[in-house]
């Protein structure tokens, strides 16, 4: 590939500046992609739902509750949990979007009214990245010439916000809701098949599956992720089980 085709008719300085402005330089330094917001919300909701139902089952096993009431109790509790996860995820997503709009609006005002200060900050940012001399001046001039590009750079480079990572709150809420529903259905099905150990089997299946999905997507090590999350769930379960047994049955 020739140098001209690589830069697509642009000068090397403009090419580098645009790549920096798009955030592609930092993304290229990371092997693997970050989990999308809806998928992250879904896997987290599935894990948390599984853990909560697992801890509830630790009390149900020791409490004087007839086994034939367990499914109904889990279902009632799960409905409230799914509603909470859906609403909580939507609210958090909306709060992040509101903060992003406020920050962008403030940064845009600073660019329009304090351009010299913004230029100085931009120069400091790219000097810290290793740019110097004439190259640094050219890169700063290219970025300062385009207000939209400058706004994107200042928001992402100075404030550390990635504009592409902010999804619609309802999309994240749906991800969380679907994750919680999958966890509930899996656990209730396992409990129906095996009334005594079904909740544990279903919960650990969901915890391990969600951890595997997250680790695979981000190209992290799967086995440590599964071991850590499953181990923490087991520790939490035993803690609740033995404390309940000690205080209420001891």
């Amino acid at each position: 590939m020739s140098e001209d085709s690589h830069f697509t008719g642009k000068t090397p300085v403009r090419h580098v500046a645009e790549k920096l402005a798009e955030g592609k330089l930092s993304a290229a330094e990371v092997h693997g992609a970050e989990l999308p917001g809806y998928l992250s919300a879904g896997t987290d909701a599935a894990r948390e739902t599984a853990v909560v139902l697992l801890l509830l089952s630790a009390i149900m096993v020791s409490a004087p509750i007839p086994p034939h009431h367990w499914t109904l109790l889990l279902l009632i509790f799960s409905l409230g949990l799914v509603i909470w996860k859906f609403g909580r995820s939507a609210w958090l997503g909306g709060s992040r979007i509101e903060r992003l709009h406020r920050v962008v609006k403030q940064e845009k005002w600073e660019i329009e009214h304090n351009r010299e200060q913004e230029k100085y900050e931009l120069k400091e940012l790219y000097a810290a990245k290793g740019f110097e001399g004439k190259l640094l001046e050219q890169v700063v001039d290219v970025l300062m010439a385009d207000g939209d590009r400058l706004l994107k750079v200042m928001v992402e480079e100075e404030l550390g916000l990635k504009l592409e990572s902010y999804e619609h709150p309802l999309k994240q809420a749906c991800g969380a809701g679907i994750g919680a529903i999958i966890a509930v259905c899996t656990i209730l099905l396992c409990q129906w098949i095996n009334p005594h150990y079904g909740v544990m089997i279903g919960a650990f299946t969901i915890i391990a599956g969600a951890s595997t999905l997250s680790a695979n997507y981000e190209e992290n090590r799967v086995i440590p992720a599964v071991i850590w999350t499953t181990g923490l769930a087991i520790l939490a379960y035993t803690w609740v089980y033995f404390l309940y047994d000690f205080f209420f049955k001891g």
Side-chain angles (χ1 to χ4, degrees):
M1 180 182 294
S2 66
E3 183 175 343
D4 289 339
S5 64
H6 175 69
F7 293 124
T8 61
K10 302 172 184 176
T11 64
V13 172
R14 181 174 291 278
H15 176 79
V16 171
E18 290 184 355
K19 291 302 181 183
L20 288 170
E22 293 170 5
K24 291 183 178 179
L25 182 63
S26 59
E29 294 173 352
V30 180
H31 298 284
E34 292 185 0
L35 207 62
Y38 70 92
L39 192 54
S40 176
T43 53
D44 283 344
R47 276 191 297 258
E48 291 179 12
T49 300
V51 170
V52 170
L53 295 183
L54 181 66
L55 298 183
L56 178 63
S57 72
I59 297 177
M60 289 168 50
V61 169
S62 299
I65 301 176
H68 61 276
H69 287 168
W70 289 4
T71 301
L72 181 59
L73 179 60
L74 287 171
L75 179 59
I76 294 173
F77 192 83
S78 298
L79 290 175
L81 188 59
V82 169
I83 294 172
W84 163 256
K85 295 302 297 181
F86 183 91
R88 175 67 173 172
S89 183
W91 183 83
L92 289 176
S95 298
R96 286 192 291 267
I97 293 295
E98 181 181 356
R99 175 177 177 269
L100 177 63
H101 287 169
R102 183 175 66 252
V103 169
V104 170
K105 183 178 180 180
Q106 180 180 355
E107 190 63 34
K108 185 177 181 180
W109 186 92
E110 292 180 359
I111 289 174
E112 293 173 349
H113 294 82
N114 299 305
R115 290 190 66 83
E116 289 301 319
Q117 178 65 24
E118 292 298 302
K119 184 175 181 179
Y120 174 77
E121 293 177 0
L122 190 64
K123 187 177 293 186
E124 291 295 317
L125 281 172
Y126 285 104
K129 292 177 178 291
F131 290 83
E132 57 185 14
K134 185 177 180 180
L135 179 61
L136 175 61
E137 295 293 337
Q138 289 176 320
V139 170
V140 171
D141 288 341
V142 169
L143 295 177
M144 292 294 297
D146 189 327
D148 292 337
R149 182 189 299 151
L150 177 60
L151 177 61
K152 182 179 176 66
V153 169
M154 297 306 291
V155 170
E156 294 191 350
E157 297 287 347
E158 182 184 21
L159 303 178
L161 300 176
K162 292 298 181 182
L163 302 182
E164 293 83 359
S165 64
Y166 286 80
E167 297 176 346
H168 195 282
L170 289 181
K171 188 176 182 179
Q172 296 190 41
C174 287
I178 291 173
I181 290 172
I182 291 175
V184 169
C185 291
T186 301
I187 292 172
L188 290 180
L189 177 62
C190 291
Q191 199 274 332
W192 178 72
I193 296 174
N194 189 328
H196 296 287
Y197 301 103
V199 175
M200 295 180 62
I201 295 172
F204 288 127
T205 299
I206 289 295
I207 293 169
S211 300
T212 300
L213 178 61
S214 299
N216 275 328
Y217 196 99
E218 295 178 332
E219 297 185 13
N220 291 331
R221 293 182 298 168
V222 174
I223 294 179
V226 173
I227 291 177
W228 270 101
T229 52
T230 304
L232 286 173
I234 293 174
L235 179 62
Y237 177 86
T238 55
W239 185 264
V240 171
Y241 178 85
F242 286 112
L243 282 182
Y244 180 88
D245 190 70
F246 176 79
F247 285 107
F248 293 94
K249 299 179 65 177

